[in-house]
Amino acid sequence: MMTKLELISQLENAKNNYILGLAGISLFGSPEAYPILEKNHAAFGTYTVDFAQVVRLLRNTKDREIAIKEFLTSQIRALIKESFELIKDYCDGTGQPALFKAEPWYQFARMIRNCLSHNFKFEFNKYDKGLLPVSWKTRTITSAMDGQHLELGFFGYVETWELFREYQSFAQDRLA
């Protein structure tokens, strides 16, 4: 069973990975980084992946926008899903799931986590439909969103960071 200290540490790791992703996005938008990428590669086992292909992608404005958006969505998915699951596992293992489910952001976070798990598409089951609408801060998930893709304008960088901070605060301050 995970200890609270391990949970806090794992959440910090998830946060650091997200920040590394943001740093990568910043570099991907900077042509000054391209010569460095062109000269480098990743080597693992018997494989070598040349980064020149990344530079070719980034030099094309349209391709860069698509690639950065896709990379961003992977970072959002990783931070929100991984952190939610870490807290859920800890709460289940320590007999605190009711405390987790009582958080005012829990249902919103759960539905966002589910959406991220289903290709960024809202797919509500009967239980979810009975809870809607579900709100957190200035965002509201409604039944009209069923079958719709999650737009970054609804849940992007800012919302990801703020929801993660809710997770972190809950884990640090309200869990035993």
Side-chain angles (χ1 to χ4, degrees):
M1 180 173 65
M2 184 182 342
T3 67
K4 183 173 177 177
L5 186 58
E6 289 169 329
L7 171 63
I8 300 301
S9 177
Q10 289 298 311
L11 290 173
E12 190 67 20
N13 289 341
K15 180 179 87 173
N16 289 341
N17 289 340
Y18 184 71
I19 293 169
L20 285 168
L22 293 177
I25 289 169
S26 178
L27 290 173
F28 296 154
S30 176
E32 294 85 11
Y34 299 171
I36 297 168
L37 283 170
E38 282 178 316
K39 295 176 188 172
N40 284 286
H41 63 276
F44 47 95
T46 60
Y47 304 99
T48 301
V49 177
D50 183 26
F51 294 157
Q53 68 182 10
V54 173
V55 175
R56 285 191 297 278
L57 179 74
L58 295 174
R59 284 200 167 120
N60 179 301
T61 304
K62 184 175 173 126
D63 290 343
R64 180 178 60 246
E65 288 173 6
I66 293 168
I68 288 174
K69 179 182 177 189
E70 290 302 316
F71 185 65
L72 167 63
T73 59
S74 74
Q75 298 305 300
I76 290 171
R77 182 174 31 248
L79 184 63
I80 296 302
K81 280 181 55 180
E82 181 179 328
S83 299
F84 187 95
E85 293 304 321
L86 285 166
I87 294 169
K88 182 182 181 304
D89 289 349
Y90 178 80
C91 287
D92 288 347
T94 59
Q96 301 178 84
L99 192 60
F100 187 31
K101 292 175 182 175
E103 283 298 304
W105 44 262
Y106 173 81
Q107 291 299 341
F108 182 92
R110 185 184 64 78
M111 288 182 191
I112 290 292
R113 188 268 328 255
N114 289 349
C115 179
L116 297 174
S117 298
H118 296 109
N119 243 355
F120 276 72
K121 192 173 185 180
F122 287 104
E123 295 177 0
F124 304 127
N125 59 32
K126 187 177 180 179
Y127 174 75
D128 293 337
K129 289 176 183 177
L131 297 173
L132 296 172
V134 173
S135 296
W136 169 72
K137 296 196 176 237
T138 63
R139 302 291 186 236
T140 300
I141 299 172
T142 67
S143 58
M145 297 167 88
D146 197 13
Q148 301 298 313
H149 286 279
L150 176 65
E151 297 296 329
L152 292 176
F154 179 79
F155 194 86
Y157 288 110
V158 172
E159 294 77 20
T160 297
W161 189 253
E162 289 178 350
L163 186 56
F164 175 77
R165 289 181 58 168
E166 297 264 17
Y167 288 173
Q168 210 170 26
S169 174
F170 170 71
Q172 289 173 350
D173 302 334
R174 292 185 294 288
L175 289 175

PDB file of all heavy atoms in Angstrom, residues 21-43:
ATOM      1  N   GLY A  21       7.085  18.989 -20.065  1.00  0.00           N
ATOM      2  CA  GLY A  21       6.329  19.069 -21.314  1.00  0.00           C
ATOM      3  C   GLY A  21       6.096  20.505 -21.750  1.00  0.00           C
ATOM      4  O   GLY A  21       6.232  20.838 -22.926  1.00  0.00           O
ATOM      5  N   LEU A  22       5.762  21.379 -20.797  1.00  0.00           N
ATOM      6  CA  LEU A  22       5.582  22.795 -21.120  1.00  0.00           C
ATOM      7  C   LEU A  22       6.893  23.404 -21.624  1.00  0.00           C
ATOM      8  O   LEU A  22       6.894  24.209 -22.566  1.00  0.00           O
ATOM      9  CB  LEU A  22       5.079  23.576 -19.906  1.00  0.00           C
ATOM     10  CG  LEU A  22       3.671  23.247 -19.414  1.00  0.00           C
ATOM     11  CD1 LEU A  22       3.350  24.047 -18.154  1.00  0.00           C
ATOM     12  CD2 LEU A  22       2.634  23.490 -20.494  1.00  0.00           C
ATOM     13  N   ALA A  23       8.007  23.006 -21.014  1.00  0.00           N
ATOM     14  CA  ALA A  23       9.314  23.492 -21.471  1.00  0.00           C
ATOM     15  C   ALA A  23       9.567  23.019 -22.896  1.00  0.00           C
ATOM     16  O   ALA A  23      10.052  23.792 -23.739  1.00  0.00           O
ATOM     17  CB  ALA A  23      10.422  23.009 -20.533  1.00  0.00           C
ATOM     18  N   GLY A  24       9.218  21.776 -23.177  1.00  0.00           N
ATOM     19  CA  GLY A  24       9.374  21.258 -24.536  1.00  0.00           C
ATOM     20  C   GLY A  24       8.541  22.042 -25.534  1.00  0.00           C
ATOM     21  O   GLY A  24       9.015  22.404 -26.611  1.00  0.00           O
ATOM     22  N   ILE A  25       7.290  22.336 -25.173  1.00  0.00           N
ATOM     23  CA  ILE A  25       6.415  23.114 -26.053  1.00  0.00           C
ATOM     24  C   ILE A  25       7.026  24.481 -26.318  1.00  0.00           C
ATOM     25  O   ILE A  25       7.011  24.977 -27.442  1.00  0.00           O
ATOM     26  CB  ILE A  25       5.001  23.218 -25.442  1.00  0.00           C
ATOM     27  CG1 ILE A  25       4.302  21.858 -25.512  1.00  0.00           C
ATOM     28  CG2 ILE A  25       4.169  24.286 -26.153  1.00  0.00           C
ATOM     29  CD1 ILE A  25       3.020  21.759 -24.713  1.00  0.00           C
ATOM     30  N   SER A  26       7.584  25.090 -25.288  1.00  0.00           N
ATOM     31  CA  SER A  26       8.228  26.387 -25.447  1.00  0.00           C
ATOM     32  C   SER A  26       9.397  26.298 -26.431  1.00  0.00           C
ATOM     33  O   SER A  26       9.547  27.144 -27.317  1.00  0.00           O
ATOM     34  CB  SER A  26       8.716  26.894 -24.086  1.00  0.00           C
ATOM     35  OG  SER A  26       9.388  28.113 -24.217  1.00  0.00           O
ATOM     36  N   LEU A  27      10.190  25.257 -26.286  1.00  0.00           N
ATOM     37  CA  LEU A  27      11.334  25.085 -27.192  1.00  0.00           C
ATOM     38  C   LEU A  27      10.890  24.763 -28.614  1.00  0.00           C
ATOM     39  O   LEU A  27      11.514  25.223 -29.575  1.00  0.00           O
ATOM     40  CB  LEU A  27      12.262  23.990 -26.670  1.00  0.00           C
ATOM     41  CG  LEU A  27      13.032  24.336 -25.402  1.00  0.00           C
ATOM     42  CD1 LEU A  27      13.774  23.114 -24.885  1.00  0.00           C
ATOM     43  CD2 LEU A  27      13.994  25.490 -25.657  1.00  0.00           C
ATOM     44  N   PHE A  28       9.829  23.977 -28.747  1.00  0.00           N
ATOM     45  CA  PHE A  28       9.361  23.612 -30.084  1.00  0.00           C
ATOM     46  C   PHE A  28       8.907  24.819 -30.885  1.00  0.00           C
ATOM     47  O   PHE A  28       8.939  24.811 -32.105  1.00  0.00           O
ATOM     48  CB  PHE A  28       8.216  22.599 -30.006  1.00  0.00           C
ATOM     49  CG  PHE A  28       8.600  21.279 -29.408  1.00  0.00           C
ATOM     50  CD1 PHE A  28       7.645  20.489 -28.786  1.00  0.00           C
ATOM     51  CD2 PHE A  28       9.902  20.809 -29.457  1.00  0.00           C
ATOM     52  CE1 PHE A  28       7.980  19.268 -28.231  1.00  0.00           C
ATOM     53  CE2 PHE A  28      10.253  19.592 -28.906  1.00  0.00           C
ATOM     54  CZ  PHE A  28       9.284  18.822 -28.295  1.00  0.00           C
ATOM     55  N   GLY A  29       8.479  25.858 -30.194  1.00  0.00           N
ATOM     56  CA  GLY A  29       8.047  27.078 -30.871  1.00  0.00           C
ATOM     57  C   GLY A  29       9.175  28.054 -31.121  1.00  0.00           C
ATOM     58  O   GLY A  29       8.958  29.124 -31.681  1.00  0.00           O
ATOM     59  N   SER A  30      10.390  27.692 -30.735  1.00  0.00           N
ATOM     60  CA  SER A  30      11.534  28.588 -30.848  1.00  0.00           C
ATOM     61  C   SER A  30      12.520  28.092 -31.910  1.00  0.00           C
ATOM     62  O   SER A  30      13.219  27.099 -31.693  1.00  0.00           O
ATOM     63  CB  SER A  30      12.243  28.678 -29.487  1.00  0.00           C
ATOM     64  OG  SER A  30      13.401  29.460 -29.607  1.00  0.00           O
ATOM     65  N   PRO A  31      12.607  28.794 -33.042  1.00  0.00           N
ATOM     66  CA  PRO A  31      13.537  28.379 -34.097  1.00  0.00           C
ATOM     67  C   PRO A  31      14.998  28.289 -33.634  1.00  0.00           C
ATOM     68  O   PRO A  31      15.786  27.552 -34.224  1.00  0.00           O
ATOM     69  CB  PRO A  31      13.376  29.461 -35.163  1.00  0.00           C
ATOM     70  CG  PRO A  31      12.000  30.006 -34.938  1.00  0.00           C
ATOM     71  CD  PRO A  31      11.785  29.934 -33.456  1.00  0.00           C
ATOM     72  N   GLU A  32      15.337  28.987 -32.552  1.00  0.00           N
ATOM     73  CA  GLU A  32      16.709  28.905 -32.041  1.00  0.00           C
ATOM     74  C   GLU A  32      17.036  27.498 -31.544  1.00  0.00           C
ATOM     75  O   GLU A  32      18.204  27.117 -31.461  1.00  0.00           O
ATOM     76  CB  GLU A  32      16.934  29.914 -30.897  1.00  0.00           C
ATOM     77  CG  GLU A  32      16.855  31.364 -31.322  1.00  0.00           C
ATOM     78  CD  GLU A  32      15.419  31.910 -31.344  1.00  0.00           C
ATOM     79  OE1 GLU A  32      14.483  31.245 -30.844  1.00  0.00           O
ATOM     80  OE2 GLU A  32      15.228  33.016 -31.876  1.00  0.00           O
ATOM     81  N   ALA A  33      16.025  26.730 -31.197  1.00  0.00           N
ATOM     82  CA  ALA A  33      16.249  25.374 -30.696  1.00  0.00           C
ATOM     83  C   ALA A  33      16.436  24.363 -31.825  1.00  0.00           C
ATOM     84  O   ALA A  33      16.973  23.277 -31.600  1.00  0.00           O
ATOM     85  CB  ALA A  33      15.077  24.943 -29.813  1.00  0.00           C
ATOM     86  N   TYR A  34      16.044  24.707 -33.033  1.00  0.00           N
ATOM     87  CA  TYR A  34      16.063  23.754 -34.138  1.00  0.00           C
ATOM     88  C   TYR A  34      17.462  23.233 -34.469  1.00  0.00           C
ATOM     89  O   TYR A  34      17.623  22.020 -34.684  1.00  0.00           O
ATOM     90  CB  TYR A  34      15.389  24.332 -35.373  1.00  0.00           C
ATOM     91  CG  TYR A  34      13.924  24.698 -35.172  1.00  0.00           C
ATOM     92  CD1 TYR A  34      13.245  25.407 -36.136  1.00  0.00           C
ATOM     93  CD2 TYR A  34      13.220  24.338 -34.021  1.00  0.00           C
ATOM     94  CE1 TYR A  34      11.908  25.748 -35.963  1.00  0.00           C
ATOM     95  CE2 TYR A  34      11.895  24.686 -33.844  1.00  0.00           C
ATOM     96  CZ  TYR A  34      11.241  25.384 -34.820  1.00  0.00           C
ATOM     97  OH  TYR A  34       9.922  25.718 -34.658  1.00  0.00           O
ATOM     98  N   PRO A  35      18.493  24.089 -34.532  1.00  0.00           N
ATOM     99  CA  PRO A  35      19.838  23.547 -34.828  1.00  0.00           C
ATOM    100  C   PRO A  35      20.311  22.541 -33.770  1.00  0.00           C
ATOM    101  O   PRO A  35      20.987  21.566 -34.109  1.00  0.00           O
ATOM    102  CB  PRO A  35      20.735  24.787 -34.846  1.00  0.00           C
ATOM    103  CG  PRO A  35      19.819  25.922 -35.138  1.00  0.00           C
ATOM    104  CD  PRO A  35      18.510  25.554 -34.502  1.00  0.00           C
ATOM    105  N   ILE A  36      19.943  22.772 -32.537  1.00  0.00           N
ATOM    106  CA  ILE A  36      20.331  21.835 -31.474  1.00  0.00           C
ATOM    107  C   ILE A  36      19.623  20.499 -31.679  1.00  0.00           C
ATOM    108  O   ILE A  36      20.234  19.429 -31.578  1.00  0.00           O
ATOM    109  CB  ILE A  36      20.014  22.428 -30.082  1.00  0.00           C
ATOM    110  CG1 ILE A  36      20.848  23.691 -29.856  1.00  0.00           C
ATOM    111  CG2 ILE A  36      20.253  21.402 -28.980  1.00  0.00           C
ATOM    112  CD1 ILE A  36      20.418  24.519 -28.664  1.00  0.00           C
ATOM    113  N   LEU A  37      18.323  20.559 -31.980  1.00  0.00           N
ATOM    114  CA  LEU A  37      17.569  19.332 -32.217  1.00  0.00           C
ATOM    115  C   LEU A  37      18.119  18.582 -33.435  1.00  0.00           C
ATOM    116  O   LEU A  37      18.253  17.351 -33.389  1.00  0.00           O
ATOM    117  CB  LEU A  37      16.086  19.650 -32.438  1.00  0.00           C
ATOM    118  CG  LEU A  37      15.266  19.974 -31.204  1.00  0.00           C
ATOM    119  CD1 LEU A  37      13.886  20.495 -31.593  1.00  0.00           C
ATOM    120  CD2 LEU A  37      15.143  18.750 -30.308  1.00  0.00           C
ATOM    121  N   GLU A  38      18.437  19.314 -34.510  1.00  0.00           N
ATOM    122  CA  GLU A  38      18.928  18.678 -35.739  1.00  0.00           C
ATOM    123  C   GLU A  38      20.187  17.863 -35.501  1.00  0.00           C
ATOM    124  O   GLU A  38      20.413  16.857 -36.170  1.00  0.00           O
ATOM    125  CB  GLU A  38      19.209  19.729 -36.816  1.00  0.00           C
ATOM    126  CG  GLU A  38      17.960  20.225 -37.481  1.00  0.00           C
ATOM    127  CD  GLU A  38      18.227  21.297 -38.519  1.00  0.00           C
ATOM    128  OE1 GLU A  38      19.026  22.212 -38.261  1.00  0.00           O
ATOM    129  OE2 GLU A  38      17.625  21.195 -39.601  1.00  0.00           O
ATOM    130  N   LYS A  39      21.003  18.293 -34.562  1.00  0.00           N
ATOM    131  CA  LYS A  39      22.283  17.628 -34.297  1.00  0.00           C
ATOM    132  C   LYS A  39      22.161  16.514 -33.258  1.00  0.00           C
ATOM    133  O   LYS A  39      23.153  15.877 -32.939  1.00  0.00           O
ATOM    134  CB  LYS A  39      23.305  18.650 -33.798  1.00  0.00           C
ATOM    135  CG  LYS A  39      23.662  19.687 -34.828  1.00  0.00           C
ATOM    136  CD  LYS A  39      24.608  20.715 -34.239  1.00  0.00           C
ATOM    137  CE  LYS A  39      24.804  21.873 -35.218  1.00  0.00           C
ATOM    138  NZ  LYS A  39      25.552  22.960 -34.614  1.00  0.00           N
ATOM    139  N   ASN A  40      20.974  16.286 -32.733  1.00  0.00           N
ATOM    140  CA  ASN A  40      20.820  15.319 -31.649  1.00  0.00           C
ATOM    141  C   ASN A  40      19.870  14.190 -32.012  1.00  0.00           C
ATOM    142  O   ASN A  40      19.169  14.239 -33.026  1.00  0.00           O
ATOM    143  CB  ASN A  40      20.337  16.032 -30.385  1.00  0.00           C
ATOM    144  CG  ASN A  40      21.460  16.796 -29.733  1.00  0.00           C
ATOM    145  OD1 ASN A  40      22.339  16.191 -29.133  1.00  0.00           O
ATOM    146  ND2 ASN A  40      21.447  18.111 -29.854  1.00  0.00           N
ATOM    147  N   HIS A  41      19.860  13.205 -31.143  1.00  0.00           N
ATOM    148  CA  HIS A  41      19.036  12.012 -31.337  1.00  0.00           C
ATOM    149  C   HIS A  41      18.804  11.348 -29.980  1.00  0.00           C
ATOM    150  O   HIS A  41      19.425  11.716 -28.986  1.00  0.00           O
ATOM    151  CB  HIS A  41      19.730  11.033 -32.290  1.00  0.00           C
ATOM    152  CG  HIS A  41      21.027  10.533 -31.740  1.00  0.00           C
ATOM    153  ND1 HIS A  41      22.205  11.225 -31.877  1.00  0.00           N
ATOM    154  CD2 HIS A  41      21.321   9.430 -31.005  1.00  0.00           C
ATOM    155  CE1 HIS A  41      23.173  10.559 -31.274  1.00  0.00           C
ATOM    156  NE2 HIS A  41      22.672   9.467 -30.733  1.00  0.00           N
ATOM    157  N   ALA A  42      17.935  10.380 -29.979  1.00  0.00           N
ATOM    158  CA  ALA A  42      17.729   9.541 -28.795  1.00  0.00           C
ATOM    159  C   ALA A  42      18.210   8.147 -29.158  1.00  0.00           C
ATOM    160  O   ALA A  42      17.906   7.634 -30.238  1.00  0.00           O
ATOM    161  CB  ALA A  42      16.263   9.515 -28.403  1.00  0.00           C
ATOM    162  N   ALA A  43      18.976   7.553 -28.274  1.00  0.00           N
ATOM    163  CA  ALA A  43      19.461   6.194 -28.485  1.00  0.00           C
ATOM    164  C   ALA A  43      18.990   5.331 -27.321  1.00  0.00           C
ATOM    165  O   ALA A  43      19.155   5.709 -26.157  1.00  0.00           O
ATOM    166  CB  ALA A  43      20.978   6.178 -28.587  1.00  0.00           C
TER     167      ALA A  43
END
